[in-house]
Amino acid sequence: MWYTSEAEEAGRWQMSLFGSTGMSGGRLPAEFKKPNQFNVCGGIEFAFMSTTTDRSVSMFYASNDGKPGVLFEIQLGMVDRGADLRWLSQYPHEAEICFGPLSGLQVIRTRVESSVLIVEVRLNVNMVSMTLEQVVAKRYKVVAG
C-alpha cells in the first residue's frame, strides 16, 4: 500500500494532539499483552490507520454493538503525525486523522472503562516508506533508463 506526498504534506501541518481509534468485538493479539525479548508490547499496523481527535467517536465505535470493545488512546508527538482528513471527509464531524502503513504501536498501559479496554499507546510513524510519486519516479528510471 502506498500513500501520496499530499498525505505526507497534510501531516506536516497537524499540531501535536491526542488521537484515538475504537473497535467493538475485537481482541488484541498476544503481542499487545506479553512483552517481547526487548520488553516491549505492541505491534505494527500494516494498512492505513484511521483515528480521530474526538474521543466520543472512538467510544461509539468501541461500544456500539454491546460487545466488549477496544479503544487505542494515542499520544501524537511533534514528528509522528498523521494527515487530517476533515477537509475531504464525508463525515468531517468525526475529525479523522489517517496514519500511513507500517505505523508502530507500543503499549504504555491499559485500563477498563465500562466494557471497553483502553490501551494507551505510543505511536511511531514509518518515515522511510516512499510516496507513490517516489515509487513511480524510481520505476521510470529503471524502465526508461
Side-chain angles (χ1 to χ4, degrees), residues 119-138:
V119 182
E120 295 178 37
V121 296
R122 178 177 297 125
L123 181 121
N124 293 293
V125 174
N126 176 9
M127 301 295 282
V128 295
S129 288
M130 292 187 286
T131 65
L132 186 57
E133 293 90 348
Q134 291 168 328
V135 171
V136 169
K138 184 176 180 181

Side-chain angles (χ1 to χ4, degrees), residues 4-64:
T4 65
S5 58
E6 285 83 8
E8 187 175 271
E9 186 65 31
R12 285 197 182 118
W13 300 108
Q14 178 191 329
M15 297 169 45
S16 296
L17 46 79
F18 163 85
S20 62
T21 188
M23 60 186 160
S24 66
R27 285 196 198 186
L28 289 178
E31 292 82 6
F32 277 80
K33 302 171 191 170
K34 182 179 177 190
N36 63 14
Q37 70 268 26
F38 303 108
N39 203 31
V40 175
C41 296
I44 304 294
E45 173 58 70
F46 292 109
F48 283 93
M49 184 171 61
S50 174
T51 67
T52 179
T53 57
D54 185 343
R55 189 173 190 275
S56 65
V57 171
S58 292
M59 282 301 280
F60 171 78
Y61 285 111
S63 60
N64 72 347

Side-chain angles (χ1 to χ4, degrees), residues 77-144:
M78 201 166 90
V79 174
D80 299 319
R81 297 174 288 178
D84 186 338
L85 299 182
R86 282 179 281 202
W87 65 277
L88 59 79
S89 177
Q90 183 177 356
Y91 307 101
H93 64 280
E94 290 188 353
E96 182 178 3
I97 304 294
C98 185
F99 292 92
L102 304 178
S103 294
L105 298 169
Q106 179 182 349
V107 176
I108 305 301
R109 67 184 64 86
T110 61
R111 65 183 190 281
V112 176
E113 290 181 19
S114 301
S115 64
V116 178
L117 174 64
I118 310 294
V119 182
E120 295 178 37
V121 296
R122 178 177 297 125
L123 181 121
N124 293 293
V125 174
N126 176 9
M127 301 295 282
V128 295
S129 288
M130 292 187 286
T131 65
L132 186 57
E133 293 90 348
Q134 291 168 328
V135 171
V136 169
K138 184 176 180 181
R139 185 71 183 144
Y140 182 77
K141 286 180 185 177
V142 169
V143 174

